[in-house]
Amino acid sequence: MTSGRIIFLNGTSSSGKSSIARELLDILDDGVFFHLAVDSFNAMRTKRELGAQELDDALRRTRMGFHRSIAAMAEVGNDVVVDHVLSEPWRLLDCLTVLPPENVLFVGVRCPLDELVRREQARGDRPPGLAALQYDAVHAHGDYDLECDTGTASPRACARRIKEFLPHRTVPTAFARLRREHLPDGALMSDSA
């Protein structure tokens, strides 16, 4: 069985990842793609109020389960578009550990901070200042296969650019390069998590 492709969109809250993912599902015509969004996993959690530590623990487990769900979907041959916010270093390390680096097209979704603030306010469903808080952290690792700027390009234009780039991915991929840099001894994240 051939492993599926993973188009991994990483950016701050309100950067346009979900909009790009929806456009990708509309225009990708060489496979069956599934949109796996971290927000969808968060929405599955119980609605009862949790204490701070209990919430932190639940969110960590949610993210780890999300990463393994991506890997499982791809392992059985599904192509996936991932919508994620790598705002904590351990999230990237965990993804580097569980996802096959040769199958990941790592896309940085950028947007100017003032536009992120405007979108966040217009949405009204995010804590004020969330995108600004994530702004530097999500791209701190500094390596992508491709980057898009939703401040200057529409979600459809970004999706088209990704579609055109997909068959011409560079080798080694950004995930392979980052894995060598951050996990040189092949240590598993789960051993230190």
Side-chain angles (χ1 to χ4, degrees):
M1 180 178 314
T2 303
S3 289
R5 295 166 290 175
I6 301 168
I7 300 173
F8 195 115
L9 307 173
N10 175 49
T12 65
S13 173
S14 302
S15 63
K17 301 176 307 296
S18 296
S19 297
I20 293 170
R22 284 189 294 274
E23 294 292 346
L24 282 166
L25 291 184
D26 189 47
I27 67 170
L28 290 169
D29 53 9
D30 65 336
V32 177
F33 281 83
F34 293 85
H35 177 200
L36 300 180
V38 73
D39 286 348
S40 297
F41 272 63
N42 289 335
M44 291 187 273
R45 189 177 62 248
T46 183
K47 300 304 179 216
R48 76 175 173 82
E49 193 164 325
L50 303 174
Q53 187 59 52
E54 189 179 14
L55 178 60
D56 285 348
D57 292 345
L59 289 175
R60 186 176 183 93
R61 288 191 313 271
T62 302
R63 302 309 190 274
M64 292 178 80
F66 176 57
H67 303 159
R68 281 145 187 82
S69 297
I70 297 163
M73 285 289 285
E75 181 181 358
V76 298
N78 294 298
D79 293 324
V80 296
V81 177
V82 176
D83 168 352
H84 203 357
V85 181
L86 297 175
S87 58
E88 297 173 280
W90 77 264
R91 294 180 190 183
L92 174 61
L93 294 177
D94 194 46
C95 288
L96 293 173
T97 300
V98 302
L99 301 179
E102 65 280 358
N103 293 348
V104 178
L105 173 62
F106 197 26
V107 181
V109 179
R110 296 189 183 264
C111 184
L113 185 55
D114 59 338
E115 176 61 12
L116 289 171
V117 170
R118 187 198 66 73
R119 291 178 187 178
E120 192 174 75
Q121 290 171 347
R123 287 174 72 155
D125 64 349
R126 297 288 192 264
L130 180 62
L133 182 66
Q134 299 168 343
Y135 193 73
D136 292 324
V138 297
H139 303 296
H141 59 276
D143 192 3
Y144 288 106
D145 296 302
L146 182 67
E147 294 189 50
C148 297
D149 184 341
T150 62
T152 59
S154 69
R156 187 69 163 209
C158 292
R160 281 194 199 110
R161 186 162 178 235
I162 293 165
K163 179 184 178 180
E164 290 167 8
F165 186 84
L166 189 58
H168 308 289
R169 291 177 291 171
T170 55
V171 177
T173 65
F175 252 53
R177 294 186 302 268
L178 287 164
R179 182 183 260 190
R180 273 198 312 269
E181 179 183 340
H182 294 286
L183 303 173
D185 60 358
L188 295 178
M189 179 64 185
S190 58
D191 293 340
S192 61

